[in-house]
C-alpha cells in the first residue's frame, strides 16, 4: 500500500515536470538562446560598426572631393582674375591720358591679344557706346562685336567704374565664350570708355581636364543656369548640354539663403549613372565646380571594409555556435543524471540518491533533491494514518454542515409559509374593517357626526397603511419562496409615470412640495409588468415625499440603447455612504431606532430592487448628507418573454407606503 501511495504522490502536478520525457529539449533551448544572444550582440555591433564606418568614409570622401573642387575653383578664379588684371592694365595705358580714346588704341588692343592668349577679341568703346578701336585673332570681326553697347544694361555700370562679367555663350557652335568688360579711365575716376574682351573658356577646360580623382573621377564646371563651361568630355560642352535638372546642380545653386548646403550628394550624372558628387562655388562668377566619382569606386574601400567586418562576424558566429554547443553539453549530462534520479524517485524508489559532482548549482540542486527525498521517506511512514484521520474528521464536518443546511432550508420554508399565512389571515379581517369604515363614511348607515367622521378617517388611513405593510411582507415572502411572477404586457412609460404622479400629487401638495415630471415625448412602448413597475415608482416617489420637508421632487425618464433610465431626485436629508447599500436589504432603514419619526417596515426598497432585477435591470442611490438623494434604476425596454413568469400577480399599490429602506 505504501508503494502505491508513493506512486500517487509522485503524480501530483508540482512533480510532473520532473517525470516527463522531454529528451533534448534543454539542449535545443539553451543552444538557441545562446546563439540568439551571442549572434544578436555580434550582429548589432557589426551593424553599428558598419554604419559609423560608412558615415566616416562618406565624410572623408566628401572632404577630399571638396578640397579638390575648392582647388579647381581657385585655379579657375585665378585664371579669370589674371585676364581681368590684364584688361585693367590695357585700359589704363599711358597713351590714353594725353590723347584720349582714339583709333591708335588699336595697337594696345593687339598687344593685349598677344599677352593674353585666351582673349580672342577686344573692343574699345567711348562713353556713348561707339566703337573706337577693335582687334581680333580672327581675320573677320565677329558680328556681335560690330554693334554698339550703349543699350546693354551693364554699360551704365561700366561707366560708373565697375567690372562687368557677361553670360557664357557659344559662338557659331564652337567653344564657350564669356565677355569681360572694364572701364577705360583717363585718370582715376574719369571714365572715358569701356574695354570689352571676348574670353575663350577652353583654357578652363584644360584646368578641369587635368584634375583626376581616383580611377574614374572627373571634374567639370557649370554656370548657375546649368550651362557646361568645361568638361573632360568636350563633346558634352559643344552639344551645349544643360545640367540644371541634376540633383547636384540644384543642391549647389538652389539652396535657400542661410541654409547649409550639403558637402556631398549621391546623384545621377548626365549619362544616368550614380556618382558621388561634391562641389565648390565661385562666387565672383556665379559658377560652380563639381567633382564626381562613380559610386562603386567611391565606396570601394567601404565595401571592402564591410566584407572584412562580415567575415569576422561569420567567424565570431561560428565560434559562438561551438561555444554554445560545448556549454550546452557540459550542462546536459548532469541534468540527464538528475532527470533519471527524479524518475526513480517518482516511481517510488525513495532509497535512491543523486550523485552529481560538478561543484556548481547543479550539484546544489542534487543535494536539495536528496534532502527532499529523505524528508519524503520520513513523512510517508505515517502519512496514510494521518490522511485517514483527517478524512474521517472532514466527513463528520461535512455531515454536520449538511444537517444544518437542511435545518436552515426547512426553517426558511416555514418562515415564508408562516408569513404568507399570517399576511393572508390579517388581510381578510383588515379588508372587512376598511370596508365597514368606508360604508359608514359614505353615510350608508346614516349621518355621521363630524368628530366621529374625523376619527373614522384616521382609522381608514391607519388601516390602509397597515394593509400596505402586510402587502410588503406578503410580496417579500413570495419572492423568497420563488412564487412571484411577472405579467409581461405592452405598456406606455408615459402613462405609468403620469398615473403615479396623479396618485402622489395629493401627498406632495399636503406638504407644500412641488412634484416635477420630465418624460420625453414619443418614447417607444415597453414590455414588462406595468403594475410592478408602477409599484416601484410609488415606493421611490413616496419615499422622496416622506423625507423632503421643502423644495421639490423630480422624476426624470430617458432612453438609451434600448434601456429606460429612470431617476427620482429629492432635496431631503440624504443617505450616508455607509447606509447606501444597506437600505436595499430586508428590514433595514436609515433610522433604525424604535422611536424613529418616519414609518415603514424597511421592505419597500428591497421589493423594488427584486422587481427591477426580475425585469433585468438594476437600481442604485447617489446621495450626499444635507443635499439630497437620487434613486436611479435601469429597465430594459422589452423584457424577453418567459412562460414561467407570465402568470399575473395581484398588486395593491398604496400611496401611504413611505418607507425608505
Amino acid at each position: 500500500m505504501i508503494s502505491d501511495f508513493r506512486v500517487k504522490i509522485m503524480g501530483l502536478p508540482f512533480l510532473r515536470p520532473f517525470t516527463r520525457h522531454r529528451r533534448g529539449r534543454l539542449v535545443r533551448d539553451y543552444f538557441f538562446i545562446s546563439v540568439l544572444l551571442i549572434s544578436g550582440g555580434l550582429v548589432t555591433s557589426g551593424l553599428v560598426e558598419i554604419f559609423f564606418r560608412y558615415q566616416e568614409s562618406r565624410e572623408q570622401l566628401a572632404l577630399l572631393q571638396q578640397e579638390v573642387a575648392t582647388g579647381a575653383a581657385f585655379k579657375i578664379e585665378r585664371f579669370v582674375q589674371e585676364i581681368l588684371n590684364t584688361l585693367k592694365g590695357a585700359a589704363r595705358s599711358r597713351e590714353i591720358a594725353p590723347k584720349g580714346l582714339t583709333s591708335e588704341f588699336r595697337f594696345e588692343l593687339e598687344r593685349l591679344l598677344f599677352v593674353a592668349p585666351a582673349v580672342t577679341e577686344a573692343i574699345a568703346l567711348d562713353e556713348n557706346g561707339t566703337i573706337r578701336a577693335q582687334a581680333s585673332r580672327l581675320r573677320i570681326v565677329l558680328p556681335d562685336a560690330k554693334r554698339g553697347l550703349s543699350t546693354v544694361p551693364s554699360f551704365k555700370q561700366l561707366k560708373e567704374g565697375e567690372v562687368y562679367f557677361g553670360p557664357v555663350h557659344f559662338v557659331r557652335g564652337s567653344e564657350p565664350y564669356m565677355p569681360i568688360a572694364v572701364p577705360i579711365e583717363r585718370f582715376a575716376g574719369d571714365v572715358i570708355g569701356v574695354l570689352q574682351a571676348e574670353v575663350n573658356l577652353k583654357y578652363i577646360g584644360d584646368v578641369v581636364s587635368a584634375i583626376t580623382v581616383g580611377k574614374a573621377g572627373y571634374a567639370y564646371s557649370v554656370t548657375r543656369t546649368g550651362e557646361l563651361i568645361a568638361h573632360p568630355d568636350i563633346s558634352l560642352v559643344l552639344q551645349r548640354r544643360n545640367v540644371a535638372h541634376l540633383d547636384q546642380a540644384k543642391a549647389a545653386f538652389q539652396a535657400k539663403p542661410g541654409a547649409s548646403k550639403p558637402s556631398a550628394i549621391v546623384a545621377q550624372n548626365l549619362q544616368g549613372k550614380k556618382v558621388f558628387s561634391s562641389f565648390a562655388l565661385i562666387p565672383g562668377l556665379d559658377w560652380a565646380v563639381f567633382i564626381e566619382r562613380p559610386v562603386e569606386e567611391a565606396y570601394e574601400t567601404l565595401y571592402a571594409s564591410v566584407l572584412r567586418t562580415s567575415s569576422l562576424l561569420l567567424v565570431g558566429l561560428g565560434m559562438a555556435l561551438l561555444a554554445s554547443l560545448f556549454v550546452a553539453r557540459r550542462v546536459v549530462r548532469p541534468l540527464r543524471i538528475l532527470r533519471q534520479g527524479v524518475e526513480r524517485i517518482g516511481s517510488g524508489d525513495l532509497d535512491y540518491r543523486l550523485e552529481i559532482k560538478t561543484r556548481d548549482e547543479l550539484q546544489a540542486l542534487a543535494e536539495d533533491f536528496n534532502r527532499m527525498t529523505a524528508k519524503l521517506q520520513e513523512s510517508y511512514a505515517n502519512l496514510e494514518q494521518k490522511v485517514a484521520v483527517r478524512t474521517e474528521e472532514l466527513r463528520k464536518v461535512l455531515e454536520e454542515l449538511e444537517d444544518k443546511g437542511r435545518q436552515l432550508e426547512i426553517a426558511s420554508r416555514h418562515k415564508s409559509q408562516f408569513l404568507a399565512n399570517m399576511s393572508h389571515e390579517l388581510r381578510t379581517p383588515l379588508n372587512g374593517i376598511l370596508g365597514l369604515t368606508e360604508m359608514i363614511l359614505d353615510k350608508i348607515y346614516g349621518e355621521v357626526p363630524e368628530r366621529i367622521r374625523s376619527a373614522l378617517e384616521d382609522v381608514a388611513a391607519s388601516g390602509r397603511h397597515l394593509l400596505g405593510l402586510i402587502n410588503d411582507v406578503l410580496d417579500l415572502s413570495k419572492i423568497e419562496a420563488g412564487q412571484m411572477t411577472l405579467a409581461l404586457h405592452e405598456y406606455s412609460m408615459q402613462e405609468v409615470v403620469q398615473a403615479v404622479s396623479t396618485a402622489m400629487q395629493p401627498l406632495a401638495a399636503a406638504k407644500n412640495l412641488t412634484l416635477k415630471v420630465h418624460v420625453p415625448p414619443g418614447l417607444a412602448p415597453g414590455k414588462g409588468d406595468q403594475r410592478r413597475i408602477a409599484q416601484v415608482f410609488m415606493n421611490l416617489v413616496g419615499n422622496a415625499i416622506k423625507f423632503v420637508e421643502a423644495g421639490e421632487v423630480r422624476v426624470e425618464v430617458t432612453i438609451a440603447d434600448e434601456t429606460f433610465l429612470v431617476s427620482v431626485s429629492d432635496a431631503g436629508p440624504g443617505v450616508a455612504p455607509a447606509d447606501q447599500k444597506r437600505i436595499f436589504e430586508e428590514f433595514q432603514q436609515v433610522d433604525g431606532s424604535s422611536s424613529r419619526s418616519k414609518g415603514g417596515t424597511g421592505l419597500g426598497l428591497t421589493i423594488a430592487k427584486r422587481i427591477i432585477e426580475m425585469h433585468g435591470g438594476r437600481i442604485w442611490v447617489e446621495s450626499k448628507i444635507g443635499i439630497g438623494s437620487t434613486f436611479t434604476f435601469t429597465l430594459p425596454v422589452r423584457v424577453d418573454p418567459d412562460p414561467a413568469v407570465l402568470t399575473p400577480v395581484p398588486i395593491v399599490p398604496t400611496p401611504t407606503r413611505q418607507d425608505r429602506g
Side-chain angles (χ1 to χ4, degrees):
M1 180 179 293
I2 293 294
S3 298
D4 295 340
F5 191 73
R6 289 175 181 176
V7 174
K8 293 179 182 179
I9 291 297
M10 295 310 295
L12 293 175
F14 69 91
L15 290 176
R16 288 175 186 171
F18 301 104
T19 60
R20 293 177 181 174
H21 296 273
R22 303 173 68 179
R23 303 180 183 277
R25 177 69 180 273
L26 182 61
V27 179
R28 184 184 65 190
D29 293 347
Y30 187 85
F31 178 75
F32 283 139
I33 292 174
S34 301
V35 170
L36 180 63
L37 294 177
I38 298 175
S39 61
L42 291 175
V43 170
T44 302
S45 61
L47 292 177
V48 171
E49 176 65 23
I50 291 173
F51 173 77
F52 284 106
R53 189 165 298 176
Y54 167 79
Q55 295 293 336
E56 294 171 357
S57 300
R58 182 185 175 94
E59 292 176 359
Q60 292 176 359
L61 182 60
L63 180 61
L64 174 62
Q65 293 191 179
Q66 185 77 25
E67 292 177 352
V68 175
T70 303
F74 174 75
K75 290 181 180 180
I76 294 174
E77 192 172 15
R78 186 177 63 179
F79 165 76
V80 175
Q81 187 64 40
E82 289 176 355
I83 295 176
L84 181 61
N85 293 336
T86 303
L87 291 176
K88 288 182 178 180
R92 297 171 183 170
S93 175
R94 289 178 295 178
E95 297 179 357
I96 296 177
K99 298 180 181 181
L101 187 59
T102 63
S103 58
E104 296 179 2
F105 192 70
R106 181 174 179 277
F107 297 102
E108 188 67 30
L109 298 181
E110 290 178 352
R111 191 174 70 85
L112 172 64
L113 297 180
F114 178 78
V115 175
V119 178
T120 60
E121 183 180 271
I123 304 173
L125 303 96
D126 60 16
E127 57 185 357
N128 296 321
T130 304
I131 298 176
R132 294 294 185 181
Q134 58 182 335
S136 175
R137 296 183 186 279
L138 305 176
R139 295 183 180 272
I140 301 175
V141 178
L142 296 176
D144 290 340
K146 292 180 181 180
R147 58 183 173 85
L149 299 178
S150 59
T151 59
V152 177
S154 60
F155 191 73
K156 182 179 179 182
Q157 172 184 340
L158 290 166
K159 289 174 65 176
E160 294 177 355
E162 298 182 9
V163 179
Y164 168 71
F165 294 98
V168 176
H169 62 279
F170 294 81
V171 178
R172 296 177 182 176
S174 61
E175 296 91 347
Y177 287 81
M178 180 184 70
I180 301 177
V182 297
I184 301 175
E185 299 176 335
R186 184 190 300 270
F187 303 105
D190 184 12
V191 178
I192 62 173
V194 173
L195 174 59
Q196 177 178 323
E198 287 287 338
V199 181
N200 192 339
L201 300 181
K202 69 176 182 179
Y203 294 95
I204 297 178
D206 297 338
V207 174
V208 169
S209 300
I211 297 175
T212 58
V213 183
K215 300 177 182 178
Y218 57 89
Y220 63 92
S221 179
V222 299
T223 65
R224 175 173 289 275
T225 58
E227 295 288 344
L228 272 175
I229 301 173
H231 196 282
D233 188 357
I234 190 62
S235 63
L236 298 177
V237 179
L238 297 178
Q239 294 172 12
R240 302 186 65 177
R241 297 289 294 274
N242 193 290
V243 299
H245 64 283
L246 298 181
D247 292 338
Q248 52 267 45
K250 295 177 181 178
F253 292 111
Q254 298 182 9
K256 296 180 179 179
S260 60
K261 297 182 179 180
S263 59
I265 185 175
V266 176
Q268 291 184 347
N269 60 9
L270 285 171
Q271 291 78 19
K273 297 181 179 179
K274 283 191 174 183
V275 293
F276 190 83
S277 177
S278 300
F279 64 88
L281 297 177
I282 307 175
L285 302 174
D286 209 10
W287 296 352
V289 177
F290 289 89
I291 303 295
E292 292 182 351
R293 295 177 67 184
V295 173
E296 296 80 4
E297 179 187 336
Y299 290 163
E300 185 176 0
T301 56
L302 177 62
Y303 293 156
S305 176
V306 171
L307 181 60
R308 290 192 299 270
T309 303
S310 301
S311 301
L312 293 175
L313 179 62
L314 292 176
V315 173
L317 287 176
M319 296 179 64
L321 293 176
L322 293 177
S324 300
L325 185 61
F326 173 77
V327 174
R329 292 187 176 276
R330 177 70 175 81
V331 172
V332 166
R333 183 175 177 275
L335 288 180
R336 186 180 295 113
I337 297 175
L338 181 63
R339 187 196 66 202
Q340 292 174 353
V342 172
E343 289 178 351
R344 292 188 60 177
I345 295 172
S347 63
D349 187 5
L350 298 180
D351 296 327
Y352 182 79
R353 297 293 182 269
L354 298 174
E355 296 293 336
I356 297 178
K357 303 296 182 182
T358 57
R359 298 180 181 180
D360 54 16
E361 289 80 359
L362 294 174
Q363 180 176 346
L365 180 61
E367 293 173 355
D368 291 339
F369 265 97
N370 291 336
R371 286 192 292 269
M372 181 191 71
T373 304
K375 292 181 179 180
L376 287 174
Q377 194 172 20
E378 295 175 2
S379 300
Y380 287 159
N382 56 359
L383 183 60
E384 288 186 348
Q385 182 179 0
K386 292 180 179 179
V387 170
V389 172
R390 295 297 183 187
T391 303
E392 181 63 22
E393 293 177 354
L394 181 60
R395 185 184 62 79
K396 292 180 179 180
V397 170
L398 290 176
E399 289 179 353
E400 292 178 359
L401 291 176
E402 290 178 358
D403 183 60
K404 291 181 179 180
R406 285 192 297 269
Q407 294 177 5
L408 289 175
E409 182 180 358
I410 294 172
S412 178
R413 187 167 58 252
H414 287 169
K415 181 203 72 170
S416 299
Q417 185 176 2
F418 171 76
L419 290 175
N421 292 336
M422 286 300 298
S423 298
H424 178 72
E425 294 298 330
L426 290 173
R427 287 173 62 189
T428 301
L430 185 56
N431 284 327
I433 294 172
L434 291 175
L436 290 174
T437 304
E438 291 177 358
M439 291 173 65
I440 295 173
L441 291 174
D442 290 340
K443 302 179 182 180
I444 294 177
Y445 298 102
E447 292 293 333
V448 180
E450 187 62 29
R451 292 169 52 190
I452 297 176
R453 171 179 290 275
S454 177
L456 289 175
E457 288 176 351
D458 292 340
V459 171
S462 299
R464 284 192 296 271
H465 181 64
L466 180 59
L467 182 59
L469 299 180
I470 294 173
N471 286 333
D472 285 346
V473 175
L474 182 60
D475 286 345
L476 182 62
S477 64
K478 288 183 177 181
I479 291 173
E480 291 181 345
Q483 297 177 358
M484 175 175 280
T485 56
L486 300 179
L488 303 182
H489 300 285
E490 296 282 345
Y491 70 93
S492 171
M493 180 60 75
Q494 291 95 330
E495 295 179 359
V496 173
V497 176
Q498 187 61 40
V500 173
S501 175
T502 302
M504 303 303 292
Q505 191 66 43
L507 292 177
K511 297 184 67 175
N512 293 324
L513 300 177
T514 302
L515 179 59
K516 292 185 178 181
V517 177
H518 175 71
V519 181
L523 282 181
K527 185 173 183 180
D529 193 328
Q530 179 175 349
R531 288 184 293 175
R532 291 295 185 185
I533 296 172
Q535 181 178 348
V536 174
F537 270 104
M538 287 284 191
N539 180 270
L540 296 180
V541 176
N543 281 350
I545 294 174
K546 179 174 66 174
F547 283 90
V548 174
E549 300 300 333
E552 66 178 23
V553 175
R554 184 176 180 84
V555 180
E556 253 189 283
V557 180
T558 58
I559 186 171
D561 299 330
E562 296 298 321
T563 302
F564 289 122
L565 180 65
V566 183
S567 62
V568 179
S569 304
D570 62 61
V575 181
D579 297 327
Q580 290 180 8
K581 290 186 178 180
R582 185 173 61 85
I583 59 176
F584 289 101
E585 298 175 2
E586 300 173 6
F587 303 105
Q588 297 294 327
Q589 292 182 322
V590 175
D591 183 8
S593 64
S594 59
S595 62
R596 60 180 180 265
S597 59
K598 310 295 182 182
T601 60
L603 296 176
L605 288 179
T606 303
I607 296 172
K609 181 174 182 292
R610 301 290 180 88
I611 292 173
I612 294 299
E613 290 175 348
M614 289 176 68
H615 280 81
R618 67 187 188 94
I619 185 172
W620 68 94
V621 62
E622 297 174 354
S623 180
K624 291 184 178 179
I625 298 297
I627 296 177
S629 305
T630 299
F631 284 81
T632 308
F633 66 87
T634 60
L635 199 65
V637 174
R638 303 188 68 81
V639 180
D640 293 333
D642 185 350
V645 298
L646 295 182
T647 304
V649 178
I651 302 175
V652 184
T654 62
T656 58
R657 296 164 58 201
Q658 305 170 12
D659 53 333
R660 174 167 293 173

